[in-house]
Amino acid sequence: MAHPLASSVQVLAFDIFGTVVDWHGTIVREMSLLHPGVDGDAFARAWREGYRPAMARVMKGELGWTPIDQLHRMILDDILPRFGLQDMGDVERRYLNRAWHRLDPWPDSVEGITRLKRRYTVCTLSNGNIGLLTNMAKRAGLPWDCVLSAEVFRAYKPDPATYLGVAQVFDLLPEQVMLVAAHHDDLAAARACGLRTAYIQRPLEFGAAHPKDVAAHPGNDLHCADMNALADELGA
Amino acid sequence: MAHPLASSVQVLAFDIFGTVVDWHGTIVREMSLLHPGVDGDAFARAWREGYRPAMARVMKGELGWTPIDQLHRMILDDILPRFGLQDMGDVERRYLNRAWHRLDPWPDSVEGITRLKRRYTVCTLSNGNIGLLTNMAKRAGLPWDCVLSAEVFRAYKPDPATYLGVAQVFDLLPEQVMLVAAHHDDLAAARACGLRTAYIQRPLEFGAAHPKDVAAHPGNDLHCADMNALADELGA
């Protein structure tokens, strides 16, 4: 039997990096092809670690509005010397930076989201820019009804403008929207705005060498092993 | 053989009302079910005629940023007395206003756009709001890669921010984007921004009683009978 929320929720908004796609595994694989001698695991984590500080600079007004593609490039330029890659040319940097458009979905993502789409409106809610998310979806076969992004709301998560923005776009109450994410801080911020929340376990988000604690958090409405489990819970 | 532009264009941005969907036919049909005594043809045209003046009020700053759903409702409230429907209640007005989310695609739209999606990124570029366009696509089966709207750019077409915004979203040059529309003024504004343009003939946009001149305009790159003809031209 479907969860009681199945009938009140109308829109499922999905976090992307780590929740729907495997950024760590993809960056490691791309790096192993380009520079097999580099520690791809450390490189992937360093690139990702620069992400929050870079967004914080934008939100504090130190930088104007900046799409994630540009933030990824700034961080890349910053970390390359640490991995002995300071001589990488611009063409390769551009190519590597676009790896974030080529992230592979977790094995359950396309099937689970396709099932959920039959019953719900499924959209992204990511700090990634619209072009990145669209290119990723087209390559991976992610069947979004609509691509929503920090770029639409001119604010990054966890700014309330993003979570409430989804409800406004669809002319719904916050509790008719559910955020689906693998990160408790993102879900907590959505909950504070009145959204429903579903946690997805992604123990390997940071690679097999750094397993993530995926224990249940009592605040979330749902706690699921993957997207197919979410579809089961929601009767889709 | 595909048109030479087939290899340089990457993104096709579609105008929606009249180009992809039949607003006149759908509004006439919805009205004939609700109020068979009303002249549905005149009613549909009156509703649509209020659209440009309402957007102009927003662009002049007389009204703040207003989603098309709200503009449609303002126009509806304004025209109902002319059709003897001044007593229509709020519930019915809300229902009728959502007819713009239920517009039927022209018979060739889903097939042609599905073909084009195999080779190009296909997105909307409409003054309709994101929620309206997403609901419409879900009901009609329109397979957009991405829903772009005046709401994303906080400007209505023909503001250059909308046409150039599509190129910016995808990090492309304007000439790598093609606007597909059934309206010469929309296409001319896109052309002035450097976009490529394809005109789609929709002689019945205003109903069979008011056939539209669909003669070719020399400025457009392509002039097509329908979306399948566009797919033929572009080798999709």
Side-chain angles (χ1 to χ4, degrees), chain B residues 175-198:
Chain B
E175 61 261 37
Q176 294 175 296
V177 178
M178 177 176 270
L179 182 72
V180 181
H183 310 115
H184 286 303
D185 51 352
D186 194 7
L187 294 165
R191 214 158 46 233
C193 294
L195 276 70
R196 299 300 187 165
T197 56

Side-chain angles (χ1 to χ4, degrees), chain A residues 98 117-118 120-122 129-132 134-135 138 144-148 151-152 154 169-171, chain B residues 98 117-118 120-122 129-132 134-135 138 144-148 151-152 154 169-171:
Chain A
R98 295 269 287 200
K117 181 175 178 167
R118 286 185 224 137
Y120 301 93
T121 293
V122 292
N129 41 300
I130 301 171
L132 178 157
T134 303
N135 291 341
K138 210 164 167 66
W144 307 122
D145 288 309
C146 171
V147 173
L148 294 180
E151 191 178 2
V152 173
R154 286 287 190 272
V169 156
F170 291 106
D171 195 21
Chain B
R98 296 269 288 201
K117 180 176 178 166
R118 284 186 226 139
Y120 301 94
T121 293
V122 293
N129 42 297
I130 300 171
L132 178 156
T134 303
N135 291 341
K138 209 162 167 67
W144 306 122
D145 287 308
C146 171
V147 173
L148 295 179
E151 191 178 1
V152 174
R154 287 288 190 272
V169 156
F170 292 106
D171 195 21

Side-chain angles (χ1 to χ4, degrees), chain A residues 70-145:
Chain A
Q70 274 174 254
L71 295 184
H72 277 147
R73 175 61 189 264
M74 287 166 48
I75 303 161
L76 178 66
D77 291 344
D78 188 48
I79 65 171
L80 283 175
R82 272 192 259 161
F83 294 89
L85 297 170
Q86 59 280 356
D87 296 333
M88 187 184 284
D90 186 58
V91 170
E92 191 180 340
R93 287 178 195 228
R94 280 168 178 270
Y95 172 79
L96 184 54
N97 201 49
R98 295 269 287 200
W100 296 91
H101 295 220
R102 297 186 294 267
L103 299 182
D104 289 327
W106 296 106
D108 51 278
S109 291
V110 171
E111 183 186 347
I113 294 165
T114 302
R115 286 173 60 194
L116 289 160
K117 181 175 178 167
R118 286 185 224 137
R119 179 159 179 168
Y120 301 93
T121 293
V122 292
C123 68
T124 60
L125 181 62
S126 169
N127 288 332
N129 41 300
I130 301 171
L132 178 157
L133 295 168
T134 303
N135 291 341
M136 174 197 285
K138 210 164 167 66
R139 176 183 173 279
L142 293 163
W144 307 122
D145 288 309

Side-chain angles (χ1 to χ4, degrees), chain A residues 147-167:
Chain A
V147 173
L148 294 180
S149 154
E151 191 178 2
V152 173
F153 305 114
R154 286 287 190 272
Y156 296 117
K157 293 190 291 180
D159 192 302
T162 59
Y163 308 108
L164 295 173
V166 179

Side-chain angles (χ1 to χ4, degrees), chain B residues 70-82:
Chain B
Q70 272 174 255
L71 295 183
H72 278 147
R73 176 61 190 266
M74 288 166 47
I75 304 161
L76 178 66
D77 290 344
D78 186 50
I79 65 171
L80 283 175
R82 272 193 258 161

Side-chain angles (χ1 to χ4, degrees), chain B residues 5-218:
Chain B
L5 281 177
S7 55
S8 61
V9 167
Q10 309 265 319
V11 170
L12 303 175
F14 292 77
D15 173 62
I16 299 300
F17 301 126
T19 299
V20 172
V21 296
D22 175 12
W23 58 266
H24 182 276
T26 308
I27 300 291
V28 167
R29 194 195 57 226
E30 295 240 355
M31 205 55 187
S32 74
L33 294 170
L34 292 173
H35 297 280
V38 166
D39 179 348
D41 166 58
F43 178 79
R45 287 183 296 114
W47 205 352
R48 181 70 178 166
E49 270 161 27
Y51 188 65
R52 276 171 190 249
M55 288 190 292
R57 288 182 60 199
V58 174
M59 292 311 273
K60 275 186 282 182
E62 280 177 49
L63 286 174
W65 178 259
T66 313
I68 292 292
D69 275 336
Q70 272 174 255
L71 295 183
H72 278 147
R73 176 61 190 266
M74 288 166 47
I75 304 161
L76 178 66
D77 290 344
D78 186 50
I79 65 171
L80 283 175
R82 272 193 258 161
F83 294 89
L85 296 170
Q86 59 279 358
D87 296 333
M88 187 184 285
D90 185 58
V91 170
E92 191 179 339
R93 287 177 194 227
R94 281 169 177 270
Y95 172 79
L96 183 55
N97 202 49
R98 296 269 288 201
W100 296 91
H101 296 219
R102 296 187 295 267
L103 299 181
D104 289 327
W106 296 105
D108 51 279
S109 291
V110 171
E111 184 186 346
I113 295 164
T114 301
R115 285 173 60 194
L116 289 159
K117 180 176 178 166
R118 284 186 226 139
R119 180 158 180 167
Y120 301 94
T121 293
V122 293
C123 68
T124 58
L125 181 62
S126 168
N127 288 332
N129 42 297
I130 300 171
L132 178 156
L133 295 168
T134 303
N135 291 341
M136 174 198 284
K138 209 162 167 67
R139 177 183 172 280
L142 293 163
W144 306 122
D145 287 308
C146 171
V147 173
L148 295 179
S149 152
E151 191 178 1
V152 174
F153 305 114
R154 287 288 190 272
Y156 296 117
K157 293 189 291 181
D159 191 303
T162 58
Y163 308 109
L164 295 174
V166 179
Q168 283 156 9
V169 156
F170 292 106
D171 195 21
L172 294 172
L173 299 169
E175 61 261 37
Q176 294 175 296
V177 178
M178 177 176 270
L179 182 72
V180 181
H183 310 115
H184 286 303
D185 51 352
D186 194 7
L187 294 165
R191 214 158 46 233
C193 294
L195 276 70
R196 299 300 187 165
T197 56
Y199 180 80
I200 307 293
Q201 293 180 4
R202 296 300 189 195
L204 301 183
E205 176 175 359
F206 299 93
H210 310 273
K212 190 169 85 169
D213 177 8
V214 293
H217 185 296

